[in-house]
Amino acid sequence: MSVDYIIVGLGLAGLAFAKELENHKKSFLVFEDNSQNSSLVAGGIYNPVVLKRFTPVWNATEQLNIALPFYSALENQFNKKYDFPITIYRLFKSVEEQNNWFSACDNPALSNYMDTKLIKERYEGISADFGYGKLRNTGRIDTKSLLKDYRNYLSQRKLIRNESFQYEAVKINENTVEYKDVIASKIVFCEGFGLKYNPFFNELPMQEAKGELITIHAPKLNIDFFIKSAVFVLPLGNNFYKIGATFNWKDKTQLPTEEGKNELTTKLESFMTVPYQIVEHVAGIRPTVKDRRPLVGKHPKHQNMAVLNGLGTRGVMIAPTLAKALYNNLENGIALDKEISIARFL
Ligand SMILES: Cc1cc2nc3c(=O)[nH]c(=O)nc-3n(C[C@H](O)[C@H](O)[C@H](O)COP(=O)(O)OP(=O)(O)OC[C@H]3O[C@@H](n4cnc5c(N)ncnc54)[C@H](O)[C@@H]3O)c2cc1C
């Protein structure tokens, strides 16, 4: 079998790159072994403001300008909704936080997103003595449905193999990459935290940031907006809510833990006062990098081998931008922005 590209891994990074190839009518084959699940468990939120410090997310507006049409095209392709715009309410803990919010509203990079009005409404089940700040132009991508549909679509076309990519079986020639019965012009690795096991790129400084989430049913809580406090509360409909997420920099497993659950429920109960039941508990590893920038670019020795990784905590917003940049680099020789290029570590 002969293709333009082999893609290893189909989370948000692999999907964005596969879509970019489809847009340019390039052929490809994906290998996916379900060893990582960050993209499947993600909250899926896109939000251009850092809610701890009220600062702009790096390149957020540029990323959203590419990401929103990207997800909209997928909605058209599969005739299904994946993008659910949702207002974010930042719950204030003090007058000082209110003041910080209103100062940040003056920042021109944020004024498109941050509302200058203090929200004082009371909502049953939520304790918010200092009110909320409201964000606009934010939303959630249903990453699980999107990935499921895209993987099915590839399956029907025999463009995905559900097996582990074995690095030792790859043969790199000057102009081609051979892997078992497949000959490709190039190979792009999109394994998320699985990059740790990739001998070609495992020296890149990937850090594990495990995250756990629970889904609860709270019959007395009736909100249709996202709350960010000690944890987030993301409404899913019918009184179900996703609560997240933890950050653990040591645990490399993807298993949900008692410790993670206790952390989430303790933090939730610090501001939510109605009864609830936990119906699901999941975990995944965010592929983060020590300088909080992505890992994109060609292998220093093998020009037909590249990596698309390091999406960190904001894969939804950043993946489509990175996929475009990598495609343009590989196909058109357009240099990568220094901040995203792996050259900064090599
Ligand atoms: C709890 C949690 C909450 C999050 N919430 C959000 C959020 O609200 N908004 C947001 O933007 N981001 C969020 N993220 C971050 C987001 O999930 C990541 O940035 C993104 O999913 C990373 O995508 P990826 O494709 O690089 O990696 P992954 O999703 O890990 O995908 C890598 C894929 O490669 C496959 N793979 C790996 N090795 C091999 C191999 N050898 N052979 C074959 N296949 C292989 C894996 O099975 C996997 O499917 C969250 C993450 C977590 C864990």
Side-chain angles (χ1 to χ4, degrees):
M1 179 182 194
S2 171
V3 285
D4 293 319
Y5 280 81
I6 291 172
I7 300 177
V8 181
L10 201 98
L12 285 170
L15 186 153
F17 196 73
K19 228 11 239 167
E20 195 61 28
L21 292 179
E22 277 198 87
N23 292 344
H24 290 91
K25 307 215 174 339
K26 297 277 184 193
S27 58
F28 61 88
L29 178 68
V30 173
F31 288 84
E32 170 54 54
D33 68 355
N34 289 314
S35 56
Q36 296 292 325
N37 61 1
S38 187
S39 300
L40 295 172
V41 302
I45 294 297
Y46 56 87
N47 159 34
V49 182
V50 180
L51 287 173
K52 230 184 210 168
R53 300 184 295 273
F54 311 144
T55 49
V57 169
W58 176 68
N59 282 353
T61 301
E62 294 82 348
Q63 287 169 19
L64 274 179
N65 286 342
I66 292 176
L68 296 182
F70 170 83
Y71 293 112
S72 162
L74 284 158
E75 288 186 331
N76 290 336
Q77 181 173 346
F78 296 116
N79 196 18
K80 198 162 158 189
K81 201 162 165 52
Y82 303 115
D83 181 0
F84 298 88
I86 185 164
T87 308
I88 294 182
Y89 279 29
R90 169 62 157 82
L91 192 152
F92 295 135
K93 289 191 289 282
S94 62
V95 172
E96 192 190 348
E97 275 200 343
Q98 292 175 343
N99 291 338
N100 292 344
W101 176 274
F102 295 116
S103 318
C105 288
D106 294 336
N107 181 340
L110 296 173
S111 54
N112 202 15
Y113 306 110
M114 294 178 74
D115 200 297
T116 50
K117 263 205 319 260
L118 176 67
I119 309 292
K120 292 185 194 146
E121 272 89 344
R122 299 263 168 193
Y123 299 95
E124 188 190 344
I126 301 291
S127 157
D129 293 342
F130 297 92
Y132 308 86
K134 184 170 147 184
L135 285 179
R136 292 182 296 257
N137 302 324
T138 49
R140 172 176 79 95
I141 300 296
D142 183 350
T143 54
K144 194 171 175 181
S145 295
L146 173 59
L147 279 165
K148 188 170 153 252
D149 292 345
Y150 197 73
R151 286 176 184 186
N152 278 343
Y153 161 81
L154 294 184
S155 243
Q156 283 158 10
R157 283 157 187 77
K158 298 196 175 6
L159 300 179
I160 186 166
R161 291 189 189 171
N162 294 309
E163 60 188 60
S164 255
F165 187 84
Q166 289 157 10
Y167 303 98
E168 64 284 0
V170 73
K171 227 174 109 191
I172 313 290
N173 307 316
E174 204 179 319
N175 294 314
T176 56
V177 178
E178 283 176 55
Y179 181 71
K180 297 184 178 174
D181 61 324
V182 188
I183 298 188
S185 304
K186 295 184 177 67
I187 182 164
V188 175
F189 291 107
C190 307
E191 310 107 312
F193 187 65
L195 186 78
K196 280 275 183 205
Y197 310 105
N198 178 333
F200 300 103
F201 289 105
N202 64 2
E203 284 180 10
L204 292 171
M206 169 87 61
Q207 286 176 322
E208 59 275 20
K210 178 174 175 175
E212 299 191 37
L213 290 157
I214 52 174
T215 303
I216 62 163
H217 184 227
K220 291 193 175 146
L221 189 66
N222 283 299
I223 54 168
D224 60 0
F225 50 86
F226 177 102
I227 299 181
K228 174 70 181 105
S229 181
V231 282
F232 68 68
V233 179
L234 167 64
L236 301 173
N238 299 324
N239 306 98
F240 285 91
Y241 299 88
K242 224 174 237 230
I243 311 297
T246 59
F247 270 88
N248 184 325
W249 302 95
K250 286 195 188 121
D251 184 354
K252 291 183 182 54
T253 73
Q254 298 181 77
L255 299 174
T257 64
E258 210 46 36
E259 192 191 348
K261 184 165 82 182
N262 290 340
E263 180 184 332
L264 291 169
T265 53
T266 306
K267 288 183 171 169
L268 177 65
E269 287 164 24
S270 70
F271 65 95
M272 191 186 85
T273 55
V274 286
Y276 65 92
Q277 229 192 338
I278 298 175
V279 296
E280 195 187 32
H281 182 190
V282 292
I285 303 184
R286 305 169 184 89
T288 54
V289 183
K290 66 176 184 193
D291 64 359
R292 303 290 176 265
R293 293 289 179 266
L295 297 171
V296 186
K298 289 184 217 167
H299 190 276
K301 272 204 207 115
H302 310 301
Q303 294 296 292
N304 45 7
M305 184 178 255
V307 64
L308 180 54
N309 211 313
L311 274 55
T313 58
R314 297 176 196 276
V316 165
M317 282 209 310
I318 204 170
T321 297
L322 299 183
K324 261 190 200 311
L326 181 61
Y327 181 87
N328 281 328
N329 179 254
L330 295 175
E331 292 293 328
N332 306 319
I334 298 175
L336 290 165
D337 181 343
K338 283 197 181 100
E339 278 189 289
I340 67 169
S341 169
I342 54 170
R344 72 195 189 278
F345 296 117
L346 301 171

